[in-house]
Amino acid sequence: MTLSSKMGDSGDPPKEIVVCLDREDLGRQAAEAFVKAADEAVSLRRRFSVSLAGGSTPRTLYRKLAGRPFAERIPWRAVHLFWGDERAVPPDHPESNYRMADETLISKVPIPPENVHRIPGEWSDADAAAEAYEEALRSFFQPPTGKWPSFDLVLLGIGPDGHTASLFPGSPALEEKARWVVAPYVEKLNARRFTLTLPVFNHARQVHFLAAGKEKAPIIKEVVSKDALSQEIPARLIRPRGGKRLFFLDREAAGLAGLMDSKENLP
Ligand code: 6PG
C-alpha cells in the first residue's frame, strides 16, 4: 500500500510511504524502486550513484538485489556504490557496514571493484579518513565549485532514537554546512563514526528510508507524522529539496503512524 503526502508547507519534498506486508515484501519493493532509480539514472547520466545504508534492515534489500529477478535487471558496470556512514573498524570487522554489503550483495554481483568506494574506517586518523573519503567523492562527482554532490539514490535506516546514517540526536555533525564527510565522536556508542553530512543527503535525487519492526513504530510516527525540524530527530532533517523522499516500512514499523487506515495522518 503506497500513501503520498501533499507537498510540505515549506516546499519540502512530499513523503511517499510504502507500507509493506513484512521484511521480505519491504526488500522486494525497495529493490524494485532501486532498479527503477538505476534505469532512470543510467538512461540520463550513464551511471548510477548510490549511498548505501548500514545496520541490519538493508540486508534483505541487498540480498534481493543480488538475486533473481533483480540482479539481472541492474547495469552493474554503471553502478557506483558509496556509504552514507561507516563504523571506525576494518572492512572485515563484524560491525563494518562495508562487510555487511559485501557479504549480502557486492560479492555476488558483477560490479567492477573500482566502482565500490568504501569509507576507510580502519585508518587510525579518523579525520584524515573522512577527508580522504570527501576527496574520493569530489573526484567522482566533480561538482562546480561550491556546489554539493547529488547522489542518484541515498538509502538510509532510522534508529529508535531518530538517528540516521551516523547523524545522532544533538550531534555537532548536524550543524556541518561545508564538509561532505565528518567523523564525529558518538557519546552513546563511545566510538567515532563516519557519516555524510545533511547537505549531501539533502542534495540527493532520491532518499529511500528503510524501517521494519515494532521497535521502530514510535520513531516512525514521529518522523512521518510531524514535519517540525528538530535536531533531536535527525531523520526528520533529511529533506532532499527537489528530490523524492520515500519510506519503505513494514506493517509493524508503520503501526503507530496510523498509516494503515487513512491518509489524514500525513502532514
Ligand atoms: C549504522 C546505520 C544506522 C542504521 C540505524 C538503523 O551504521 O548503524 O547507518 O543509521 O541505519 O541504526 O539500524 P537497523 O536497520 O539495524 O535498525
Side-chain angles (χ1 to χ4, degrees):
M1 169 173 61
T2 300
L3 302 169
S4 295
S5 69
K6 51 190 181 302
M7 173 69 79
D9 298 343
S10 52
D12 288 329
K15 290 188 278 290
E16 189 168 325
I17 301 187
V18 182
V19 180
C20 309
L21 290 174
D22 52 24
R23 285 176 187 260
E24 280 304 300
D25 185 39
L26 188 159
R28 227 180 345 269
Q29 299 220 42
E32 199 59 57
F34 184 103
V35 171
K36 187 163 175 255
D39 285 348
E40 185 180 299
V42 172
S43 63
L44 292 172
R45 290 176 290 278
R46 301 167 60 80
R47 68 185 191 181
F48 179 46
S49 56
V50 186
S51 169
L52 293 178
S56 58
T57 306
R59 280 181 178 275
T60 312
L61 165 59
Y62 298 165
R63 283 201 192 99
K64 295 278 180 212
L65 293 173
R68 290 177 180 278
F70 300 105
E72 58 236 25
R73 292 170 55 194
I74 295 168
W76 292 107
R77 300 198 62 75
V79 176
H80 285 265
L81 299 178
F82 297 83
W83 274 259
D85 78 319
E86 185 57 279
R87 289 83 182 277
V89 295
D92 59 354
H93 190 282
E95 289 186 14
S96 162
N97 288 336
Y98 163 81
R99 174 173 158 174
M100 185 273 277
D102 186 48
E103 287 174 344
T104 52
L105 173 60
I106 296 166
S107 60
K108 301 177 186 317
V109 295
I111 185 169
E114 63 272 20
N115 289 20
V116 179
H117 313 267
R118 70 177 185 85
I119 297 173
E122 69 277 18
W123 287 17
S124 54
D125 183 338
D127 293 323
E131 284 167 23
Y133 200 58
E134 179 161 333
E135 274 317 302
L137 287 167
R138 286 184 185 280
S139 155
F140 177 82
F141 284 101
Q142 297 190 9
T145 306
K147 297 294 184 191
W148 294 93
S150 195
F151 279 97
D152 293 309
L153 176 61
V154 166
L155 298 173
L156 288 171
I158 300 180
D161 63 355
H163 81 262
T164 191
S166 283
L167 295 169
F168 284 80
S171 167
L174 295 168
E175 300 286 346
E176 182 58 52
K177 299 281 188 287
R179 287 180 294 173
W180 297 10
V181 188
V182 291
Y185 173 74
V186 181
E187 200 159 332
K188 73 184 292 188
L189 302 175
N190 186 25
R192 296 290 290 264
R193 280 286 190 94
F194 297 92
T195 188
L196 302 188
T197 54
L198 280 176
V200 174
F201 290 134
N202 286 339
H203 280 79
R205 293 186 175 88
Q206 291 198 52
V207 174
H208 294 178
F209 283 103
L210 312 172
K214 202 180 292 294
E215 73 283 358
K216 295 292 175 75
I219 195 61
I220 290 300
K221 179 177 189 319
E222 284 303 307
V223 172
V224 303
S225 308
K226 298 173 192 157
D227 261 345
L229 292 173
S230 159
Q231 291 211 351
E232 290 315 305
I233 307 183
R236 230 196 256 156
L237 301 175
I238 302 290
R239 313 262 175 119
R241 300 185 78 80
K244 284 172 72 176
R245 189 171 37 150
L246 282 76
F247 291 79
F248 292 89
L249 311 172
D250 72 354
R251 284 186 294 185
E252 287 189 335
L256 295 180
L259 297 171
M260 313 298 279
D261 45 20
S262 82
K263 294 189 182 182
E264 279 67 50
N265 299 83
L266 296 178

